[in-house]
Amino acid sequence: MEWQPIETAPMDGSFIILGSWSENGDWCMDFVEANEFEFDGGDWGMSRDICPYTHWHAVAKPPVEALF
């Protein structure tokens, strides 16, 4: 799956990755449960004004078999 517009993000409780370019050119990302769209700007403490999320990406499912 490719990055999708934030308007198409699921709201069913699945986990997704959020992303956006900040004002200073850094890529911001955050990992959230898709029913709690209370974005705070991610792990870097950026506000929505500096890095408003514009895209989302599905989280890959884990492998079926254990690797060890």
Side-chain angles (χ1 to χ4, degrees):
M1 171 182 253
E2 300 291 324
W3 285 95
Q4 302 294 316
I6 197 67
E7 297 82 18
T8 65
M11 296 296 281
D12 60 1
S14 57
F15 287 93
I16 61 172
I17 301 169
L18 302 174
S20 180
W21 291 104
S22 72
E23 291 176 350
N24 62 2
D26 293 329
W27 179 250
C28 306
M29 286 194 321
D30 205 354
F31 177 74
V32 299
E33 189 173 353
N35 62 6
E36 61 175 58
F37 273 22
E38 297 294 329
F39 305 151
D40 63 1
D43 297 333
W44 301 280
M46 296 182 182
S47 72
R48 281 184 271 183
D49 296 335
I50 295 172
C51 194
Y53 292 114
T54 59
H55 290 79
W56 72 278
H57 198 290
V59 176
K61 295 183 186 219
V64 176
E65 298 177 2
L67 298 178
F68 48 92

